[in-house]
Amino acid sequence: MGIALAPAARVSALRDRTPVVTTLCSHSSLQIFYGARHEGLGTLGIAVGKPPRFYEAFPLARPDRFLSLSKVTDLGRHANTLQREGAVVIPTGSFVEYMGPEAFDALDVPVFGNRKVLAWESDREKERQWLEKAEVPMPRKYRDLSSIDGPVIIKYHGAKGGKGFFLAKSPKELGDFRPTGPYVIQEYVVGTRYYLHFFYSPLSEDGYRVRHGSIELLGMDRRDEANIDELYKLGAQEGLRQAGIRPTFVVTGNVPVILRESLLPQVFDLAARIVDTSVDLFGGMVGPFCVEGIVTEDLQFKVFEISTRIVAGTNLFISGSSYSDFIAPHLSTGRRIALELKRARAEDRLSEVLS
Ligand code: AMP
């Protein structure tokens, strides 16, 4: 038996009934519902207001039923109903953001994955401690503005979707910086961005083993970020700034990418260390996660962020990817979640994948 994340009482009802995969009608819900349906599980969509009409256009990814709320934060009040129905909540970025990390943490309904990860992911300093402990190469961190000696990206804590980040090629350009809240200063890494979609199963005994279980690489994307992707990054900053145009990193879409095969040993090694360290720190980052980094010209992968749940870039790979096809046909991250849930139930190990 591995590490129990969920109290026994929270998962006991799920032994006698098929779990109902439940998520907010947004982000990667089509993929999550489609994957659950593929595996014969029930589905429930949480809608704010009326159920969105776009599901009518995608009948195979439409949830069986909807729960309509006037606001996401009302979800906690429906905990009893959700428990009775056998709901298992699948967290997504927008779900946690709209509901608020504290209310999400307090939700008395089984959640797929380890909700303790929230505290580590939402705080940039804590996330850095985790990655440093895992000995993962990261962009250099500057203590303060006076220590800057090269290109930097200045990020606010909890900045939503990369808005308001400040870029400077050199200390000279800091004159324009007017902080609007607490921030961190990072080396601006020049290279190519990759967003790697992993899945950690504490139950699995096959594949790429980590200390408890194994990890799988299910896909990879690069985010299209408005308007920075059209501003040719650092080069044009000065002129653009004079023209009153500020860079933002708001994600507008995703494109599939593939990594040089010779970099795979490096990124699997990093991902394994991130997972093993998460087990030591808080019982493990179970389920989907994304390692987000930049490959430099000397082929070093530097990690600037990890997302500890399903990312929207996985929506590219509903029918599989150039990586997941080597594991099983038609294996999306949404379907992988459903498979893990079914296995945990069959082996009576639900408390290891739910919290
Ligand atoms: P984050 O909020 O940390 O995910 O960063 C948002 C976006 O900023 C990323 O998707 C990258 O495009 C960019 N970015 C973040 N950190 C760095 C860095 N150290 N060097 C260069 N670009 C970065």
Side-chain angles (χ1 to χ4, degrees):
M1 269 308 200
I3 300 167
L5 305 175
R10 188 172 281 157
V11 296
S12 58
L14 292 170
R15 291 209 187 93
D16 310 322
R17 52 159 312 147
T18 314
V20 174
V21 167
T22 303
T23 198
L24 190 66
C25 294
S26 160
H27 190 269
S28 42
S29 69
L30 291 165
Q31 181 195 166
I32 292 170
F33 295 139
Y34 181 66
R37 178 187 283 235
H38 198 284
E39 292 304 318
L41 301 181
T43 48
L44 175 70
I46 300 164
V48 177
K50 279 203 277 189
R53 277 198 61 201
F54 67 81
Y55 291 106
E56 291 165 22
F58 303 116
L60 300 183
R62 188 176 192 274
D64 301 328
R65 280 174 309 113
F66 290 97
L67 171 68
S68 285
L69 307 175
S70 46
K71 45 187 189 333
V72 186
T73 41
D74 286 347
L75 189 64
R77 290 207 252 125
H78 296 265
N80 287 341
T81 320
L82 292 170
Q83 286 163 9
R84 268 198 309 277
E85 305 227 346
V88 170
V89 167
I90 315 296
T92 62
S94 32
F95 201 161
V96 176
E97 188 184 314
Y98 297 149
M99 198 166 163
E102 274 147 35
F104 192 83
D105 189 32
L107 191 65
D108 192 15
V109 180
V111 166
F112 186 78
N114 186 352
R115 58 180 95 193
K116 286 213 186 83
V117 76
L118 277 177
W120 289 85
E121 178 205 44
S122 54
D123 177 331
R124 286 192 193 271
E125 297 297 339
K126 271 189 107 154
E127 186 183 271
R128 196 167 180 99
Q129 274 172 33
W130 169 11
L131 295 178
E132 272 173 4
K133 194 166 177 334
E135 296 182 11
V136 166
M138 276 180 288
R140 178 175 158 202
K141 180 185 161 192
Y142 288 96
R143 263 191 338 276
D144 49 38
L145 293 169
S146 63
S147 55
I148 293 174
D149 56 8
V152 290
I153 176 165
I154 305 184
K155 307 175 181 184
Y156 291 103
H157 286 292
K160 302 264 183 290
K163 248 189 178 161
F165 286 6
F166 188 89
L167 301 183
K169 285 207 291 293
S170 66
K172 272 205 318 264
E173 293 179 5
L174 290 168
D176 274 356
F177 179 55
R178 309 266 177 279
T180 54
Y183 56 85
V184 293
I185 314 166
Q186 259 183 21
E187 160 200 12
Y188 184 93
V189 181
V190 181
T192 327
R193 290 170 298 123
Y194 295 89
Y195 300 72
L196 280 51
H197 317 151
F198 282 99
F199 189 95
Y200 165 48
S201 166
L203 311 181
S204 169
E205 278 142 22
D206 313 316
Y208 193 97
R209 300 279 296 150
V210 291
R211 234 179 323 122
H212 305 274
S214 61
I215 52 172
E216 293 158 20
L217 179 62
L218 296 180
M220 205 177 286
D221 76 299
R222 177 166 312 135
R223 296 185 185 155
D224 270 342
E225 293 172 324
N227 51 24
I228 189 72
D229 282 340
E230 303 305 320
L231 294 185
Y232 298 97
K233 307 279 165 99
L234 280 176
Q237 293 303 306
E238 252 163 57
L240 290 163
R241 206 169 291 157
Q242 279 161 19
I245 300 171
R246 301 276 165 175
T248 70
F249 291 79
V250 176
V251 181
T252 58
N254 304 76
V255 287
V257 291
I258 192 122
L259 203 60
R260 282 170 72 125
E261 198 164 298
S262 60
L263 286 170
L264 288 179
Q266 195 185 137
V267 295
F268 266 100
D269 186 48
L270 291 179
R273 277 186 277 134
I274 294 172
V275 167
D276 283 341
T277 310
S278 76
V279 175
D280 295 339
L281 289 175
F282 52 86
M285 169 180 53
V286 169
F289 67 98
C290 182
V291 177
E292 306 172 11
I294 299 175
V295 179
T296 58
E297 62 180 342
D298 52 357
L299 301 180
Q300 288 301 307
F301 192 94
K302 291 201 181 175
V303 178
F304 61 80
E305 173 86 292
I306 30 177
S307 293
T308 59
R309 66 194 107 251
I310 186 168
V311 289
T314 60
N315 292 337
L316 286 162
F317 307 116
I318 305 302
S319 310
S321 77
S322 316
Y323 296 105
S324 72
D325 281 1
F326 300 135
I327 303 172
H330 307 295
L331 185 61
S332 68
T333 297
R335 187 172 157 224
R336 185 65 188 83
I337 291 171
L339 282 166
E340 190 77 352
L341 206 46
K342 279 176 41 172
R343 175 172 179 177
R345 186 159 172 264
E347 296 181 3
D348 200 13
R349 298 174 73 183
L350 281 167
S351 61
E352 292 173 53
V353 301
L354 302 179
S355 64

